[in-house]
Amino acid sequence: MVFRVDGARALVTGASRGIGKAVAVALADAGADVAVSARTGEALNDTVKAVRAAGGSAVPCVADLSHEGAGAGLVAEAVEGLGGLDVLVHNAGVIAVDEQGTSRVVPLEHSGSGDWRPVVDVNVHGTVEVLRAAHPFLVKSQRASAVVMSSVAGVMGTPGMESYAATKAAQISVVRSLAVAWASDGVRVNALCPGWVATDMTGPMQAAGVSDWLLSHVPQGRWLSCEEVAPLAVFLASGASSAVTGHALVADGGVSIAEGGLSGRPKPASPFAA
Ligand SMILES: NC(=O)c1ccc[n+]([C@@H]2O[C@H](COP(=O)([O-])OP(=O)(O)OC[C@H]3O[C@@H](n4cnc5c(N)ncnc54)[C@H](OP(=O)(O)O)[C@@H]3O)[C@@H](O)[C@H]2O)c1
């Protein structure tokens, strides 16, 4: 039972698809009621159905976290719908994209401010806003846990994704500071750092040629699924992790351990080499 979150009131941001959707469903499956957010209500329809099918109440909330002030509005809406807040899984995040909106891997020397500002806006400013807005509600909970979806890119060198990696490292830094600052309020704060997960965000990296190269660095040699990541968020939200705060939990198929070329798998040349 210690792994369950029965009766918890949870907000999962970026829950329309991918990792966030899987986390919302896993939390509902473990007993939580879940507010879910994305930039449009329509995008949340499937998640809302899946959360309800898993046995939880679902509260859809719409917010574009690239806009200043949106985080506060989102948390207020979620708290109103849930009647309070025990668990925050702040998962919404972006990577640099091209004109078509497709994820873009670009060496720093060829990147521009368009590869940086939108990523910093959502991944750093959006994260800070949501955490700041959640704090007064989390302190009222007897089981408060905040989980920020960072990335293994925040703990290892990730060439070509510098803006993304920098913002993911910033999230871990904020988590560590808040874990100390908020411990006396009874609020735990942790980061979850997945490796390469098959989602829309990594769509272009799953293409033939690129995928082989990427996975050659992963000891487990495969893409992770959203359903493998989601239970770890439930763990960090649950009483099973009551002594864990300020931690960056890496779930990456071993890529961060093998970085430096010791994964033991043959390595094709980088498709991004100049
Ligand atoms: N996929 C990976 O390999 C991987 C690995 C490590 C960490 N992560 C992290 O995990 C999180 C989810 O990634 P994913 O791969 O599941 O991504 P995804 O499939 O692209 O989903 C991103 C989610 O964030 C929401 N979102 C995007 N921009 C937003 C904005 N401006 N305001 C509010 N919500 C916004 C999206 O909602 P709408 O577009 O519907 O508004 C969607 O629900 C991200 O923080 C990512 O950095 C991913």
Side-chain angles (χ1 to χ4, degrees), residues 26-259:
L27 282 168
D29 198 38
D33 293 324
V34 193
V36 291
S37 84
R39 284 171 294 181
T40 65
E42 203 176 25
L44 288 166
N45 287 344
D46 283 352
T47 306
V48 166
K49 276 187 209 145
V51 165
R52 289 179 182 153
S57 298
V59 179
C61 304
V62 174
D64 185 338
L65 295 172
S66 67
H67 296 160
E68 196 164 346
L74 165 60
V75 170
E77 191 181 349
V79 167
E80 191 181 341
L82 292 167
L85 190 67
D86 304 297
V87 171
L88 166 68
V89 180
H90 177 56
N91 164 82
V94 296
I95 197 166
V97 293
D98 62 18
E99 293 77 16
Q100 283 73 46
T102 305
S103 301
R104 165 175 150 90
V105 177
V106 54
L108 178 91
E109 56 274 29
H110 300 304
S111 69
S113 64
D115 296 303
W116 281 83
R117 289 190 193 282
V119 182
V120 172
D121 278 348
V122 175
N123 293 2
V124 180
H125 296 300
T127 299
V128 169
E129 267 202 22
V130 168
L131 286 164
R132 187 193 292 126
H135 179 251
F137 302 104
L138 290 172
V139 296
K140 292 184 189 150
S141 167
Q142 298 304 307
R143 56 198 297 186
S145 174
V147 180
V148 175
M149 198 63 69
S150 176
S151 168
V152 74
V155 298
M156 68 177 205
T158 317
M161 300 186 208
E162 284 85 358
S163 61
Y164 179 74
T167 61
K168 292 291 153 179
Q171 288 180 322
I172 294 170
S173 176
V174 170
V175 160
R176 288 183 174 144
S177 297
L178 293 185
V180 177
W182 292 359
S184 57
D185 296 332
V187 181
R188 294 187 297 114
V189 191
N190 288 288
L192 185 45
C193 303
W196 310 130
V197 185
T199 66
D200 289 357
M201 181 182 278
T202 54
M205 300 159 206
Q206 295 167 50
V210 184
S211 180
D212 289 350
W213 170 74
L214 208 60
L215 295 184
S216 71
H217 295 266
V218 182
Q220 285 189 335
R222 63 179 176 80
W223 285 89
L224 305 179
S225 73
C226 298
E227 288 69 27
E228 289 178 289
V229 175
L232 300 172
V234 177
F235 165 68
L236 290 174
S238 75
S241 61
S242 58
V244 182
T245 195
H247 187 59
L249 176 55
V250 173
D252 67 347
V255 66
S256 58
I257 301 303
E259 183 67 357

